[in-house]
């Protein structure tokens, strides 16, 4: 049984090693996805903090002036004082200094798709091969999960922890593969399992079915009275903040859809995720709150769904877990490399055993 498990582990690893290496390296880089973009494009993102940001309505007007076509469809403010606000319109992003209203620049959607962090993201989720690539990524994620599990089972018999640095380089590779693999196994198990759940919608839907009641659908915008106009964005924002005290606005969407309420994506400090998962829907004409969806007090299925994505990205406890996840992803890449090296180094021994059995 043990030998059969080793053979299964070895050949599954060899078949998928290149793909695992790509996913592990891109996954480790994506820990810094936003930071990479800001580092490569400081002229779009970096601002000098002021005392108080200008109103959303004022900033929207400034952003519109920089566009050849509108309207503004969404706003992404920043919770970081030295970072620009982003305004989206018809495939164009406008970056605005929230303290002065100065437009820092624009970026078209096709230009964003050519940026390094976006290419890394697409490579990670689809191998740059659209739907076929996504299916391959799903299969490789399952394979990586099986390799973590079978690797831990194989390790258990000998329980190798120590790296013998004075031994031959082949033995060092062997020790590194076993010791680092088991040390990172729990985190790798969490990353691969959550990745599988995220990739396959039926698994995510099964988790959501744990809720006692189905999720409340997005509310419709009540009809406007004759001559009614949209309220100020800032008035709606104040209503959203009042509905979820302690949460920051991470995105405002549906600005240009008269048949939909204004949608505010909100984030509590403990949420950790970049975009926020709480939602507040505000009547665009009356300023009344139509629906509040809060991560605080969310039912078990939705809470588990939130946790799965945070676990996969390493956001679960903020920067400390992001650092741990980064190291674990690099260990996974190392496992792919050392595993192939071990197979290559063992060819002569396996050939000799095969000859003796003839």
């Amino acid at each position: 049984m043990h030998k059969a498990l080793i053979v299964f582990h070895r050949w599954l690893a060899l078949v998928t090693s290149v793909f695992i290496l790509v996913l592990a390296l891109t996954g480790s880089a994506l820990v810094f996805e936003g930071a990479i973009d800001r580092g490569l494009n400081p002229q779009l993102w970096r601002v000098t903090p002021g005392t108080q940001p200008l109103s959303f309505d004022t900033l929207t007007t400034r952003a519109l002036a920089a566009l050849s076509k509108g309207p503004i469809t969404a706003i992404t403010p920043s919770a970081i004082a030295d970072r620009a606000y982003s305004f989206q319109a018809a495939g164009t992003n406008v970056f605005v200094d929230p303290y002065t209203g100065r437009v820092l620049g624009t970026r078209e959607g096709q230009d964003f798709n050519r940026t390094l962090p976006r290419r890394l993201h697409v490579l990670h989720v689809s191998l740059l091969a659209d739907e076929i690539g996504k299916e391959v990524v799903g299969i490789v994620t399952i394979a990586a999960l099986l390799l973590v599990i079978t690797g831990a089972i194989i390790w258990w018999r000998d329980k190798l922890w120590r790296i013998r640095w004075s031994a031959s380089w082949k033995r060092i590779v062997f020790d590194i593969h076993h010791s680092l693999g088991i040390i990172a196994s729990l985190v790798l198990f969490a990353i691969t399992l959550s990745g599988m759940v995220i990739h396959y919608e039926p698994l995510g839907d099964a988790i959501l079915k744990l809720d006692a009641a189905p999720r409340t659908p997005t509310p419709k915008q009540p009809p406007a009275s004759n001559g009614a106009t949209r309220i100020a964005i800032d008035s709606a924002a104040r209503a959203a903040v009042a509905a979820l005290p302690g949460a920051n606005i991470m995105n405002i969407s549906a600005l240009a859809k008269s048949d939909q309420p204004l949608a505010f994506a909100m984030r509590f400090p403990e949420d950790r995720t970049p975009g926020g998962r709480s939602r507040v829907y505000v009547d665009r004409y009356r300023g009344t709150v139509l629906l509040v969806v809060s991560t605080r007090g969310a039912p078990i299925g939705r809470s588990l769904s939130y946790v799965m994505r945070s676990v996969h990205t390493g956001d679960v406890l903020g920067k400390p877990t992001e650092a741990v996840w980064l190291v674990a992803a690099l260990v996974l890449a190392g496992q792919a490399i050392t595993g192939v090296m071990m197979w290559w180094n063992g060819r002569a021994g396996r050939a000799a055993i095969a000859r003796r059995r003839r």
Side-chain angles (χ1 to χ4, degrees):
M1 178 64 180
H2 185 75
K3 290 182 179 180
L5 197 61
I6 290 176
V7 172
F8 173 79
H9 182 88
R10 177 191 300 147
W11 285 104
L12 181 62
L14 287 172
V15 170
T16 60
S17 59
V18 173
F19 299 106
I20 288 176
L21 181 62
V22 170
L23 294 183
L25 291 177
T26 54
S28 63
L30 289 177
V31 172
F32 306 103
E33 184 175 6
I36 292 172
D37 187 39
R38 293 189 295 273
L40 293 176
N41 301 283
Q43 73 282 2
L44 297 178
W45 289 104
R46 193 169 300 158
V47 302
T48 301
T51 54
Q52 184 68 31
L54 299 174
S55 69
F56 285 125
D57 295 278
T58 299
L59 295 173
T60 299
T61 300
R62 302 288 178 87
L64 273 172
L67 292 168
S68 59
K69 54 184 177 179
I72 297 295
T73 57
I75 304 171
T76 304
S78 174
I80 308 299
D82 63 353
R83 195 173 299 166
Y85 286 14
S86 174
F87 293 75
Q88 294 83 49
T92 301
N93 270 28
V94 183
F95 299 86
V96 181
D97 186 324
Y99 306 102
T100 66
R102 182 171 68 91
V103 173
L104 303 178
T106 62
R107 182 164 65 184
E108 300 297 324
Q110 59 266 29
D111 295 327
F112 171 68
N113 288 333
R114 287 194 290 266
T115 62
L116 175 61
R118 184 58 186 169
R119 287 183 181 275
L120 287 173
H121 188 97
V122 175
L123 179 60
H124 185 73
V125 300
S126 68
L127 301 175
L128 302 178
D130 299 323
E131 294 303 317
I132 293 177
K134 290 180 180 178
E135 292 306 313
V136 173
V137 167
I139 294 170
V140 173
T141 302
I142 295 173
L145 176 61
L146 291 174
L147 288 171
V148 171
I149 296 171
T150 55
I153 296 171
I154 292 169
W155 171 88
W156 183 257
R157 192 170 81 167
D158 298 322
K159 300 181 182 65
L160 298 174
W161 287 98
R162 188 164 61 92
I163 300 175
R164 297 168 179 82
W165 295 108
S166 59
S168 68
W169 70 270
K170 292 182 180 181
R171 180 68 198 199
I172 292 173
V173 168
F174 182 88
D175 288 347
I176 288 175
H177 186 84
H178 286 74
S179 59
L180 293 187
I182 197 63
I183 290 171
S185 59
L186 287 178
V187 175
L188 292 177
F189 178 81
I191 292 173
T192 52
L193 178 62
S194 57
M196 189 175 69
V197 172
I198 292 169
H199 183 84
Y200 291 103
E201 289 186 9
L203 295 177
D205 293 341
I207 290 176
L208 291 175
K209 287 179 180 178
L210 296 173
D211 293 344
R215 186 169 185 170
T216 304
T218 301
K220 295 182 179 180
Q221 170 61 46
S225 56
N226 292 334
T229 58
R230 191 192 70 186
I231 64 170
I233 301 173
D234 290 271
S235 297
R238 284 191 290 272
V241 171
L244 281 181
N248 292 319
I249 297 172
M250 305 308 296
N251 184 265
I252 309 171
S253 59
L255 291 170
K257 296 183 180 296
S258 59
D259 60 338
Q260 295 180 19
L262 295 176
F264 291 81
M266 312 282 286
R267 185 179 71 185
F268 288 107
E270 70 270 15
D271 285 346
R272 306 292 183 183
T273 55
R277 296 195 177 102
S278 297
R279 296 289 184 273
V280 178
Y281 298 91
V282 179
D283 187 318
R284 64 175 55 244
Y285 299 109
R286 302 166 185 83
T288 55
V289 174
L290 302 176
L291 177 65
V292 176
V293 179
S294 175
T295 53
R296 292 179 175 175
I300 184 171
R302 199 177 309 153
S303 295
L304 286 174
S305 178
Y306 296 155
V307 168
M308 279 293 173
R309 189 164 292 277
S310 292
V311 165
H312 187 70
T313 58
D315 295 323
V316 61
L317 293 177
K319 295 301 180 183
T321 47
E322 286 180 3
V324 173
W325 263 235
L326 167 63
V327 173
L330 293 176
V331 168
L332 181 59
Q335 292 296 94
I337 295 171
T338 55
V340 172
M341 293 175 67
M342 287 166 57
W343 168 79
W344 184 266
N345 294 336
R347 289 179 309 145
R350 290 192 297 273
I353 293 173
R355 286 195 297 271
R356 287 196 297 270
R357 289 177 175 176
R358 290 173 186 170

